[in-house]
mmCIF file of all heavy atoms in Angstrom:
data_model
loop_
_atom_site.group_PDB
_atom_site.id
_atom_site.type_symbol
_atom_site.label_atom_id
_atom_site.label_comp_id
_atom_site.label_asym_id
_atom_site.label_seq_id
_atom_site.Cartn_x
_atom_site.Cartn_y
_atom_site.Cartn_z
ATOM 1 N N GLN A 1 16.970 -19.100 5.964
ATOM 2 C CA GLN A 1 16.405 -20.464 5.996
ATOM 3 C C GLN A 1 15.363 -20.654 4.873
ATOM 4 O O GLN A 1 14.641 -19.678 4.625
ATOM 5 C CB GLN A 1 15.679 -20.737 7.343
ATOM 6 C CG GLN A 1 15.202 -22.106 7.646
ATOM 7 C CD GLN A 1 14.887 -22.258 9.053
ATOM 8 O OE1 GLN A 1 14.153 -21.575 9.581
ATOM 9 N NE2 GLN A 1 15.305 -23.297 9.636
ATOM 10 N N ASP A 2 15.349 -21.751 4.232
ATOM 11 C CA ASP A 2 14.388 -22.158 3.224
ATOM 12 C C ASP A 2 13.340 -22.972 3.989
ATOM 13 O O ASP A 2 13.633 -24.166 4.111
ATOM 14 C CB ASP A 2 15.032 -22.874 2.075
ATOM 15 C CG ASP A 2 13.963 -23.319 1.020
ATOM 16 O OD1 ASP A 2 12.918 -23.123 1.239
ATOM 17 O OD2 ASP A 2 14.527 -23.976 0.090
ATOM 18 N N LEU A 3 12.175 -22.302 4.423
ATOM 19 C CA LEU A 3 11.089 -22.996 4.989
ATOM 20 C C LEU A 3 10.216 -23.625 3.983
ATOM 21 O O LEU A 3 9.930 -22.999 2.940
ATOM 22 C CB LEU A 3 10.374 -22.006 5.905
ATOM 23 C CG LEU A 3 11.045 -21.657 7.246
ATOM 24 C CD1 LEU A 3 10.083 -20.676 7.977
ATOM 25 C CD2 LEU A 3 11.241 -22.813 8.029
ATOM 26 N N ASP A 4 9.801 -24.883 4.117
ATOM 27 C CA ASP A 4 8.799 -25.390 3.336
ATOM 28 C C ASP A 4 7.486 -25.346 4.021
ATOM 29 O O ASP A 4 6.897 -26.196 4.700
ATOM 30 C CB ASP A 4 9.104 -26.940 3.024
ATOM 31 C CG ASP A 4 10.554 -27.068 2.278
ATOM 32 O OD1 ASP A 4 10.707 -26.214 1.396
ATOM 33 O OD2 ASP A 4 11.255 -27.999 2.552
ATOM 34 N N CYS A 5 6.811 -24.079 3.914
ATOM 35 C CA CYS A 5 5.728 -23.885 4.611
ATOM 36 C C CYS A 5 4.450 -23.810 3.582
ATOM 37 O O CYS A 5 3.321 -23.225 3.869
ATOM 38 C CB CYS A 5 5.712 -22.614 5.457
ATOM 39 S SG CYS A 5 5.716 -21.047 4.460
ATOM 40 N N GLY A 6 4.591 -24.346 2.369
ATOM 41 C CA GLY A 6 3.559 -24.450 1.493
ATOM 42 C C GLY A 6 3.522 -23.134 0.446
ATOM 43 O O GLY A 6 4.492 -22.619 0.129
ATOM 44 N N GLY A 7 2.290 -22.743 0.172
ATOM 45 C CA GLY A 7 2.134 -21.756 -0.888
ATOM 46 C C GLY A 7 2.633 -20.467 -0.475
ATOM 47 O O GLY A 7 3.202 -19.660 -1.445
ATOM 48 N N LEU A 8 2.557 -19.978 0.724
ATOM 49 C CA LEU A 8 3.092 -18.790 1.120
ATOM 50 C C LEU A 8 4.536 -18.660 1.006
ATOM 51 O O LEU A 8 5.174 -17.710 0.474
ATOM 52 C CB LEU A 8 2.618 -18.349 2.600
ATOM 53 C CG LEU A 8 1.262 -18.070 2.798
ATOM 54 C CD1 LEU A 8 0.969 -17.633 4.298
ATOM 55 C CD2 LEU A 8 0.594 -16.990 1.852
ATOM 56 N N CYS A 9 5.366 -19.651 1.502
ATOM 57 C CA CYS A 9 6.857 -19.621 1.301
ATOM 58 C C CYS A 9 7.164 -19.715 -0.081
ATOM 59 O O CYS A 9 8.049 -19.125 -0.474
ATOM 60 C CB CYS A 9 7.294 -20.871 2.075
ATOM 61 S SG CYS A 9 7.436 -20.738 3.899
ATOM 62 N N ASN A 10 6.468 -20.566 -0.961
ATOM 63 C CA ASN A 10 6.807 -20.526 -2.259
ATOM 64 C C ASN A 10 6.590 -19.179 -2.994
ATOM 65 O O ASN A 10 7.426 -18.827 -3.850
ATOM 66 C CB ASN A 10 5.914 -21.725 -2.949
ATOM 67 C CG ASN A 10 6.250 -23.012 -2.634
ATOM 68 O OD1 ASN A 10 7.302 -23.290 -2.050
ATOM 69 N ND2 ASN A 10 5.149 -23.924 -2.669
ATOM 70 N N ALA A 11 5.517 -18.551 -2.593
ATOM 71 C CA ALA A 11 5.291 -17.284 -3.241
ATOM 72 C C ALA A 11 6.323 -16.188 -2.801
ATOM 73 O O ALA A 11 6.847 -15.453 -3.703
ATOM 74 C CB ALA A 11 3.839 -16.706 -2.681
ATOM 75 N N ILE A 12 6.832 -16.242 -1.469
ATOM 76 C CA ILE A 12 7.774 -15.308 -1.051
ATOM 77 C C ILE A 12 9.092 -15.634 -1.867
ATOM 78 O O ILE A 12 9.842 -14.711 -2.292
ATOM 79 C CB ILE A 12 8.045 -15.472 0.499
ATOM 80 C CG1 ILE A 12 6.801 -15.068 1.341
ATOM 81 C CG2 ILE A 12 9.341 -14.759 0.923
ATOM 82 C CD1 ILE A 12 6.958 -15.554 2.712
ATOM 83 N N GLU A 13 9.379 -16.856 -1.917
ATOM 84 C CA GLU A 13 10.725 -17.213 -2.651
ATOM 85 C C GLU A 13 10.757 -16.971 -4.107
ATOM 86 O O GLU A 13 11.759 -16.591 -4.657
ATOM 87 C CB GLU A 13 10.981 -18.656 -2.354
ATOM 88 C CG GLU A 13 11.341 -18.994 -0.896
ATOM 89 C CD GLU A 13 11.447 -20.531 -0.569
ATOM 90 O OE1 GLU A 13 11.438 -21.336 -1.491
ATOM 91 O OE2 GLU A 13 11.588 -20.787 0.562
ATOM 92 N N LYS A 14 9.499 -16.870 -4.667
ATOM 93 C CA LYS A 14 9.515 -16.657 -6.097
ATOM 94 C C LYS A 14 9.569 -15.231 -6.472
ATOM 95 O O LYS A 14 10.030 -14.933 -7.617
ATOM 96 C CB LYS A 14 8.042 -17.127 -6.696
ATOM 97 C CG LYS A 14 8.101 -17.271 -8.297
ATOM 98 C CD LYS A 14 6.788 -17.936 -8.611
ATOM 99 C CE LYS A 14 6.819 -18.108 -10.239
ATOM 100 N NZ LYS A 14 5.563 -18.878 -10.765
ATOM 101 N N VAL A 15 9.385 -14.329 -5.524
ATOM 102 C CA VAL A 15 9.399 -12.895 -5.967
ATOM 103 C C VAL A 15 10.552 -12.230 -5.130
ATOM 104 O O VAL A 15 10.620 -10.879 -5.292
ATOM 105 C CB VAL A 15 8.031 -12.110 -5.630
ATOM 106 C CG1 VAL A 15 7.006 -12.779 -6.360
ATOM 107 C CG2 VAL A 15 7.656 -12.227 -4.174
ATOM 108 N N THR A 16 11.394 -12.943 -4.475
ATOM 109 C CA THR A 16 12.458 -12.219 -3.573
ATOM 110 C C THR A 16 13.814 -12.735 -4.164
ATOM 111 O O THR A 16 13.845 -13.867 -4.757
ATOM 112 C CB THR A 16 12.355 -12.523 -2.162
ATOM 113 O OG1 THR A 16 12.306 -13.834 -1.951
ATOM 114 C CG2 THR A 16 11.075 -11.788 -1.604
ATOM 115 N N PRO A 17 14.831 -11.939 -4.041
ATOM 116 C CA PRO A 17 16.140 -12.389 -4.650
ATOM 117 C C PRO A 17 16.672 -13.722 -4.064
ATOM 118 O O PRO A 17 16.597 -13.989 -2.882
ATOM 119 C CB PRO A 17 17.059 -11.198 -4.161
ATOM 120 C CG PRO A 17 16.219 -10.053 -3.896
ATOM 121 C CD PRO A 17 14.922 -10.636 -3.416
ATOM 122 N N ALA A 18 17.322 -14.353 -4.973
ATOM 123 C CA ALA A 18 18.004 -15.600 -4.542
ATOM 124 C C ALA A 18 19.488 -15.331 -4.147
ATOM 125 O O ALA A 18 20.020 -14.263 -4.582
ATOM 126 C CB ALA A 18 18.000 -16.699 -5.577
ATOM 127 N N LEU A 19 20.179 -16.136 -3.517
ATOM 128 C CA LEU A 19 21.592 -16.120 -3.347
ATOM 129 C C LEU A 19 22.122 -17.366 -3.676
ATOM 130 O O LEU A 19 22.009 -18.362 -3.185
ATOM 131 C CB LEU A 19 21.900 -15.884 -1.818
ATOM 132 C CG LEU A 19 23.414 -15.719 -1.580
ATOM 133 C CD1 LEU A 19 23.813 -14.207 -2.000
ATOM 134 C CD2 LEU A 19 23.638 -15.839 -0.045
ATOM 135 N N ASN A 20 23.027 -17.352 -4.816
ATOM 136 C CA ASN A 20 23.677 -18.443 -5.334
ATOM 137 C C ASN A 20 22.712 -19.521 -5.781
ATOM 138 O O ASN A 20 22.991 -20.698 -5.491
ATOM 139 C CB ASN A 20 24.764 -18.959 -4.401
ATOM 140 C CG ASN A 20 25.882 -17.966 -4.146
ATOM 141 O OD1 ASN A 20 26.261 -17.229 -4.921
ATOM 142 N ND2 ASN A 20 26.545 -18.037 -2.906
ATOM 143 N N GLY A 21 21.569 -19.075 -6.224
ATOM 144 C CA GLY A 21 20.441 -19.997 -6.596
ATOM 145 C C GLY A 21 19.531 -20.520 -5.551
ATOM 146 O O GLY A 21 18.645 -21.366 -5.766
ATOM 147 N N LYS A 22 19.850 -20.139 -4.261
ATOM 148 C CA LYS A 22 18.997 -20.501 -3.189
ATOM 149 C C LYS A 22 17.975 -19.453 -2.820
ATOM 150 O O LYS A 22 18.458 -18.337 -2.802
ATOM 151 C CB LYS A 22 19.882 -20.942 -1.963
ATOM 152 C CG LYS A 22 20.735 -22.140 -2.307
ATOM 153 C CD LYS A 22 21.720 -22.531 -0.958
ATOM 154 C CE LYS A 22 22.262 -23.917 -1.193
ATOM 155 N NZ LYS A 22 23.273 -23.951 -2.210
ATOM 156 N N HIS A 23 16.713 -19.795 -2.528
ATOM 157 C CA HIS A 23 15.754 -18.879 -2.137
ATOM 158 C C HIS A 23 15.493 -19.081 -0.635
ATOM 159 O O HIS A 23 15.405 -20.128 -0.191
ATOM 160 C CB HIS A 23 14.606 -19.077 -2.911
ATOM 161 C CG HIS A 23 14.651 -18.699 -4.316
ATOM 162 N ND1 HIS A 23 14.408 -17.594 -4.858
ATOM 163 C CD2 HIS A 23 15.237 -19.397 -5.452
ATOM 164 C CE1 HIS A 23 14.620 -17.497 -6.092
ATOM 165 N NE2 HIS A 23 15.097 -18.679 -6.672
ATOM 166 N N PHE A 24 15.242 -17.888 0.084
ATOM 167 C CA PHE A 24 14.908 -17.940 1.524
ATOM 168 C C PHE A 24 13.537 -17.431 1.821
ATOM 169 O O PHE A 24 13.088 -16.344 1.173
ATOM 170 C CB PHE A 24 15.905 -17.050 2.246
ATOM 171 C CG PHE A 24 17.378 -17.583 1.832
ATOM 172 C CD1 PHE A 24 18.228 -16.460 1.244
ATOM 173 C CD2 PHE A 24 17.862 -18.755 2.010
ATOM 174 C CE1 PHE A 24 19.593 -16.942 0.829
ATOM 175 C CE2 PHE A 24 19.105 -19.097 1.687
ATOM 176 C CZ PHE A 24 19.979 -18.218 1.062
ATOM 177 N N SER A 25 12.880 -17.939 2.738
ATOM 178 C CA SER A 25 11.563 -17.514 3.194
ATOM 179 C C SER A 25 11.635 -17.062 4.778
ATOM 180 O O SER A 25 10.706 -16.626 5.228
ATOM 181 C CB SER A 25 10.485 -18.417 3.077
ATOM 182 O OG SER A 25 10.888 -19.712 3.488
#
């Protein structure tokens, strides 16, 4: 799931691997 929880979710998604261009938190 791509949660929109603000800065923390954005930070998690920025430093963890994507799958087919999608980032998950």
Side-chain angles (χ1 to χ4, degrees):
Q1 190 167 50
D2 177 357
L3 284 177
D4 295 322
C5 70
L8 292 182
C9 282
N10 293 339
I12 291 169
E13 292 173 8
K14 193 169 183 180
V15 300
T16 58
L19 182 76
N20 299 329
K22 293 180 169 68
H23 291 267
F24 311 118
S25 46

